Amino acid sequence: MSSQDIPEENLPSEQGDAHDGAVATTADPFADPGLPPHEHRVQDIDERAAKRSERVIAFLFLLSMLATVGFIASYVALPVDKIIYVYPIGHVSALNFSLGLTLGVALFCIGAGAVHWARTLMSDVEVADDRHPISAEPEVKAKVLADFKAGAEESAFGRRKLIRNTMFGALALVPLSGVVLLRDLGPLPGTKLRHTRWSAGKLLINQNTNQPLRPEDISVGSLTFAVPEGMKEDDHDFQQEVAKAALMIVRIQPENIKDKKELDWSADGIVAYSKICTHVGCPISLYEQQTHHVLCPCHQSTFDLSDGGRVIFGPAGHALPQLRIKVNEKGYLEALGDFAEPVGPSFWERG
Ligand code: FES
């Protein structure tokens, strides 16, 4: 399209073309209005007001330090189960309330102190600069360094030692709140996770019916869940123990069992494996009877129960632990000991 094809009102005027950058003309609707005149704050012209601001900022940083100390003291001193009434929230855990309040005050005071400092004492002179090429010339770099030094001097960071020191104090203390929370990781489990309630002579109890299992209760193609005898729901550690000892039982034709050890540890083709996935511990619940594969619903790890519980797919790092079982003289399925290796996730160092 040539300029003759463009309507005349859309062509740039000569006056506009002559205009460059911030030089405003009456024909330029986008003229740079420039910065408004700088107005001094009371702290810029009154040293007593500046001192007052300095004290307020230091007070906020000190308050932050006290709140952090209060956080740590609450964490150490308050019992976990103490309940208090707080208006208008109602009944709350004293520990949670106190931790939230003190940490909130500690962080708020650091933020409020920094904002107050920037608004009242740091230089507020606005500067407009032209955009420059990305790679800076050495003299530009030197100017940046000089500006940085001038800025540091203007902020009075070095001169206002009270603010600087209290701010460093507040910033140094507040991370301690996170350090003391490490206590919640609790004591190391020791050997607790290495053992379950299974031991020699314990009957396999059907988790649904609560009855001891006989071999004839386990049909080919079914997946049965069991727990050791003697577990009571009102035991204080029932949930923990049942989570570790949960067992799944399937019947496989002995000739289809590929792993020799698995065959030796089975009874009449009945094999018993930990139900806890060796990836991150989800309970396994899906059984494919044609292939004897079990699938963990969490991340799709798949184990072959006809081949020693081997992992055939997915992120799990270890085979499922097998429980050695037999049929006792009364015709019930019974364990011959505990699992030979820890059940569950793969963080264990296994030999
Ligand atoms: S927990 Fe089973 S695959 Fe992740």
Side-chain angles (χ1 to χ4, degrees):
M1 183 184 280
S2 72
S3 59
Q4 282 119 337
D5 302 327
I6 302 172
E8 203 175 320
E9 62 272 22
N10 290 350
L11 287 169
S13 71
E14 279 184 26
Q15 196 176 12
D17 289 341
H19 174 71
D20 178 34
V23 181
T25 69
T26 49
D28 187 351
F30 304 111
D32 181 356
L35 292 172
H38 178 245
E39 283 178 22
H40 290 294
R41 301 161 301 189
V42 61
Q43 289 85 357
D44 295 332
I45 48 183
D46 180 353
E47 187 52 29
R48 281 188 310 171
K51 275 276 167 212
R52 259 200 314 277
S53 287
E54 185 175 9
R55 282 195 294 272
V56 169
I57 296 160
F59 172 75
L60 286 167
F61 289 150
L62 277 172
L63 205 55
S64 168
M65 287 191 252
L66 289 176
T68 300
V69 172
F71 177 95
I72 296 169
S74 317
Y75 194 79
V76 172
L78 290 176
V80 173
D81 51 1
K82 184 170 176 56
I83 303 293
I84 55 169
Y85 181 80
V86 180
Y87 179 82
I89 310 169
H91 288 95
V92 290
S93 154
L95 180 61
N96 287 350
F97 180 76
S98 159
L99 292 181
L101 185 69
T102 49
L103 187 59
V105 169
L107 294 175
F108 174 81
C109 286
I110 289 178
V115 169
H116 196 54
W117 185 7
R119 288 178 63 90
T120 58
L121 294 179
M122 287 186 186
S123 168
D124 69 338
V125 177
E126 286 188 61
V127 178
D129 210 350
D130 288 335
R131 188 174 286 200
H132 52 75
I134 290 179
S135 75
E137 303 296 324
E139 56 273 18
V140 176
K141 288 181 186 164
K143 182 172 182 312
V144 169
L145 277 178
D147 287 351
F148 180 79
K149 281 188 191 141
E153 265 168 38
E154 275 174 15
S155 72
F157 191 79
R159 190 157 52 85
R160 297 195 185 277
K161 290 195 170 49
L162 181 60
I163 292 183
R164 188 194 62 191
N165 294 344
T166 50
M167 185 190 76
F168 283 154
L171 288 175
L173 274 187
V174 84
L176 287 180
S177 311
V179 174
V180 295
L181 290 177
L182 293 177
R183 191 187 74 169
D184 276 351
L185 293 176
L188 291 172
T191 58
K192 276 196 219 155
L193 296 176
R194 290 186 175 268
H195 302 291
T196 71
R197 285 281 187 91
W198 290 108
S199 59
K202 288 239 170 147
L203 296 178
L204 276 60
I205 304 295
N206 186 319
Q207 202 168 8
N208 293 327
T209 63
N210 259 340
Q211 296 302 314
L213 284 162
R214 292 173 175 275
E216 52 269 31
D217 298 331
I218 316 292
S219 54
V220 173
S222 68
L223 181 66
T224 307
F225 298 125
V227 291
E229 70 171 312
M231 296 194 67
K232 298 196 185 65
E233 283 196 24
D234 43 1
D235 286 350
H236 72 283
D237 57 355
F238 175 78
Q239 293 298 344
Q240 286 173 28
E241 292 300 324
V242 85
K244 286 193 293 176
L247 200 66
M248 58 186 171
I249 306 162
V250 297
R251 185 189 281 274
I252 303 173
Q253 298 298 347
E255 61 273 21
N256 290 337
I257 298 180
K258 300 170 198 148
D259 186 285
K260 168 82 173 69
K261 185 189 114 189
E262 177 177 7
L263 190 59
D264 291 347
W265 285 24
S266 67
D268 298 342
I270 297 170
V271 294
Y273 279 94
S274 166
K275 189 186 165 185
I276 310 304
C277 179
T278 57
H279 179 218
V280 289
C282 285
I284 294 168
S285 54
L286 304 169
Y287 179 51
E288 212 289 296
Q289 56 168 298
Q290 306 296 330
T291 57
H292 309 298
H293 292 170
V294 283
L295 175 80
C296 174
C298 288
H299 314 99
Q300 284 69 54
S301 284
T302 309
F303 305 86
D304 186 351
L305 295 193
S306 67
D307 192 10
R310 182 171 67 87
V311 183
I312 56 167
F313 178 77
H318 296 282
L320 290 169
Q322 186 182 358
L323 189 73
R324 196 172 177 190
I325 57 171
K326 70 167 189 177
V327 181
N328 69 14
E329 60 286 354
K330 293 184 184 156
Y332 290 107
L333 289 170
E334 143 182 327
L336 284 166
D338 199 353
F339 290 103
E341 55 196 345
V343 298
S346 307
F347 51 79
W348 296 102
E349 297 294 334
R350 298 181 197 214

